[in-house]
Amino acid sequence: MRDPVFPHRHLLGIEGLNPLEINHLLDISEPYIAFNRGPDKTANDLRGRTIVNLFFENSTRTRTSFELAALRLGANVINMQVETSSVSKGETLIDTAVTLNAMNPDVLVVRHPDSGAVKLLADKVNCSVVNGGDGSHEHPTQALLDALTIRRRKGRLSGLIVAICGDVLHSRVARSNFHLLLTMGARVRIIAPRTLIPSGIDQLGVEIFTDMSKGLKDADIVMMLRVQNERMRGSFIPSVREYFRFFGLDRAKLSQAKPDALIMHPGPMNRGTEIDSDVADDYERSAIREQVELGVAVRMGVLKILAGNNAALNATAAVAGGGK
Ligand code: NCD
């Protein structure tokens, strides 16, 4: 049976999901946190299922997190990295997807440097697809793990002031978080140099600041973003030193936020560029390690729901097609 609250085959983005669906994904994931802290870390939820991690972009943390999530649910997992695949030999994205699809996986987790590539691929396969990050578009499981981290620490999402700071222009993490946080009733501020603010962003309903001390005032959550040098063509920031001086999080700037404000960062961090080690490693205030931990639980929740939906949808299709 398809999940009654989240009946979709794919998770391609947060945009378009409603509060009930978001809360449901968080609720399904939450029990896995305690499970992952226990001694026996293998469940049977996905026994016999095949999960393929198809990564066209370098990643350690996200790929490992999905891999552990699948293994802990009892699934079989394989990892395909772009360097070892035939993509480098000129095979197209779609050919790769269709070839993999013919091997009957249950869920494909896909990361790709181009925005929209994961959706394109999802349209060509008959298994579930999770977007593990596409260009600067969306990274839905990151926003979900951020939301679960905030919900556990603050008890809610609605009404909180969340300041998202730094390289918003290139960040799929920021985009997925805007959609999620605004849908859940949080107040979202972005703080960035003008060159790193996407045009038209004000239409989403976020408040825009170019001054850290003003933007951080009374914030409940301070979410720092990595400066994504690999996506910058041209000069967006004058120098690391200059960037840190105006937009790097340190104690002095943090003092503008609420005294119990939570510090977050999706990783990997550029210490000394967007964040000072002194605040990143302050585990009273910083939830950065917790984000990584909860990421596995969220991916377990997502994989479990999608694999169930996929099986139900394919069973229905088989009946409709005369059992073929
Ligand atoms: C993020 C990503 O890849 O979008 N990292 C991650 O998922 N661990 C953020 C980033 O790379 O800055």
Side-chain angles (χ1 to χ4, degrees), residues 134-276:
D134 63 326
S136 46
H137 177 230
E138 281 234 35
H139 189 356
T141 57
Q142 179 71 43
L144 289 167
L145 76 89
D146 290 340
L148 189 58
T149 307
I150 298 172
R151 200 176 80 165
R152 282 168 64 86
R153 285 275 194 126
K154 298 286 176 197
R156 67 198 160 102
L157 293 163
S158 127
L160 295 177
I161 300 180
V162 184
I164 302 182
C165 320
D167 188 358
V168 179
L169 181 66
H170 301 103
S171 178
R172 52 198 176 204
V173 174
R175 230 163 300 275
S176 288
N177 264 300
F178 296 153
H179 291 300
L180 189 146
L181 293 164
L182 292 169
T183 304
M184 300 310 285
R187 279 179 59 188
V188 179
R189 296 178 183 168
I190 65 170
I191 315 173
R194 275 183 211 291
T195 49
L196 295 177
I197 300 176
S199 60
I201 193 83
D202 44 330
Q203 277 146 35
L204 275 183
V206 301
E207 299 165 70
I208 299 170
F209 295 84
T210 50
D211 179 326
M212 278 288 260
S213 59
K214 290 196 182 115
L216 287 181
K217 187 120 192 50
D218 297 327
D220 295 284
I221 309 292
V222 181
M223 190 182 288
M224 302 307 299
L225 300 172
R226 182 173 67 85
V227 173
Q228 306 208 358
N229 292 308
E230 78 279 18
R231 293 192 207 284
M232 296 192 191
R233 293 183 189 91
S235 69
F236 286 87
I237 61 171
S239 71
V240 166
R241 186 203 288 239
E242 191 87 332
Y243 186 87
F244 184 76
R245 186 161 150 236
F246 290 103
F247 295 97
L249 188 68
D250 56 14
R251 282 280 160 206
K253 296 191 194 84
L254 182 63
S255 67
Q256 297 295 321
K258 293 224 174 92
D260 63 348
L262 202 61
I263 303 164
M264 302 176 76
H265 191 300
M269 285 184 272
N270 292 315
R271 292 168 182 267
T273 304
E274 71 264 358
I275 192 162
D276 193 1

Side-chain angles (χ1 to χ4, degrees), residues 42-54 63 66-80 100 103-109 303 307:
T42 317
N44 272 329
D45 306 53
L46 291 190
R47 205 162 72 96
R49 304 285 157 108
T50 304
I51 313 290
V52 178
N53 283 325
L54 177 57
R63 208 221 61 227
F66 271 108
E67 188 175 355
L68 264 183
L71 289 170
R72 287 182 179 170
L73 291 170
N76 301 311
V77 193
I78 63 154
N79 296 310
M80 260 188 86
L100 276 176
M103 300 178 199
N104 300 311
D106 297 279
V107 185
L108 284 178
V109 180
L303 289 176

